[in-house]
Every structure is written in structure tokens, then in C-alpha cells.
Amino acid sequence: MAAAVVTGGLLAGCSTHPGDAAVVDGRAITTAELATTFEELTPIFQGAGPQDVLGVLITEPFATELAAEQGDGVSDQQALDLLRTVAERAVGEQEAARMEFGPGAVAIARYSLAVAALQDAPDPAAAVAEYQARVLDADIVVNPRFGEFTTDLGVAPPTTPPWIVTDDVAVAVDPGSVPPAGEPAPTP
């Protein structure tokens, strides 16, 4: 019994909490936040997948913090203005006026503005290198259901474990290994 508790505790420490898409330095990004952000941005950022959105939600605080340290802080209002502008171009003024953007969508826009500010810094290479170093030094755990955080500062899609057979995988069968009709098939 004690071994089961210890093993469970160790496994829990190595993963995200149930309902989290990722945990970054103790800050949870919930699956609900990811889903809402993805849903809000899909009409205006077509082609972006959930892994793209999660990657930005993971890295945004680092870019925003560094941009502010370099004198180019980004406000939520600036981010919301960017979202409105992009929405108007993508879906038209009337549809854009009806759209609402939550904290996750605002974070995505903040990231875009912060990264642009880092690229416009007096020494953009140093600013980008510092941003990358901060992200790579962070404690980032992605729920395997959503993929894996990579050194490219993105989230790679999840892979199907080799022991799971999907419909799109053809299994080669040796005709001699199939029992003749009427004979029982071997059981595990």
C-alpha cells in the first residue's frame, strides 16, 4: 500500500494536474482556457492548431516580461486593439464587432506585440536569445494529450504510441500465421 502511494505521488509530480494542458513554472494553462482561446481565434487565425495556441500561451509571459524590461511594455488594451484590427480584416467590421476575446486571446496578441518589440530592440539578436534562454530555463510540463514542448519553443503534436493500432495503419499478416477456418484463434 505504501509503495502505491509513493509511486502515485512520484507520478503526480511528473505530470500536469488533471484539467491542465500545461504547467509553466507552477502556472497552469487549463484545457478550458486552451479550448476557449482556440475557439475565439479560429475565425481570424485560420490554420493555427491547438498546439500553436498552447505554445504561445506557454511562452507569452516570457516575451511580455522581457519586452517590458527593455522599455517596450505591451498593455492588454494594445493587444485587444490588435485583435480587433486583425478580426476586421479577416471577417469584416460587423462580424468583428460581435466577437469577444478572453484572457487567452489577449495573451496571444500580447505575445505578437512583445515579440515584434524584441525584434525592434537595439540588439534584436541578444533580445531574442535572452527570450529563448528564459523559456528553455523554465519548468514546462505539457499534458501528453496535447503533445510535447520542444526546444524550438513550440508544442509538437502528440504521437500515437506504437502499441496502438489505428484504422489508417495496415498490419502485415503472415498468411501462414492465420488459423484455418473453423479452428479457434489463439488468445492472449
Side-chain angles (χ1 to χ4, degrees), residues 74-84 105-107 109-110 113:
V74 179
S75 72
D76 286 352
Q77 186 58 53
Q78 289 171 305
L80 195 53
D81 291 345
L82 174 62
L83 287 170
R84 293 274 175 234
V106 171
R110 244 189 346 255
L113 293 168

Side-chain angles (χ1 to χ4, degrees), residues 103-117:
V106 171
I108 299 289
R110 244 189 346 255
Y111 169 85
S112 180
L113 293 168
V115 167

Side-chain angles (χ1 to χ4, degrees), residues 90-156:
V91 298
E93 196 171 320
Q94 288 180 339
E95 182 65 26
R98 289 190 291 268
M99 295 178 79
E100 292 186 26
F101 299 106
V106 171
I108 299 289
R110 244 189 346 255
Y111 169 85
S112 180
L113 293 168
V115 167
L118 294 178
Q119 292 171 343
D120 290 339
D123 186 354
V128 170
E130 175 64 20
Y131 158 69
Q132 291 170 333
R134 288 183 186 193
V135 173
L136 293 175
D137 286 343
D139 181 21
I140 300 170
V141 179
V142 174
N143 183 329
R145 188 174 112 199
F146 294 97
E148 180 180 341
F149 193 75
T150 68
T151 57
D152 293 336
L153 309 186
V155 177

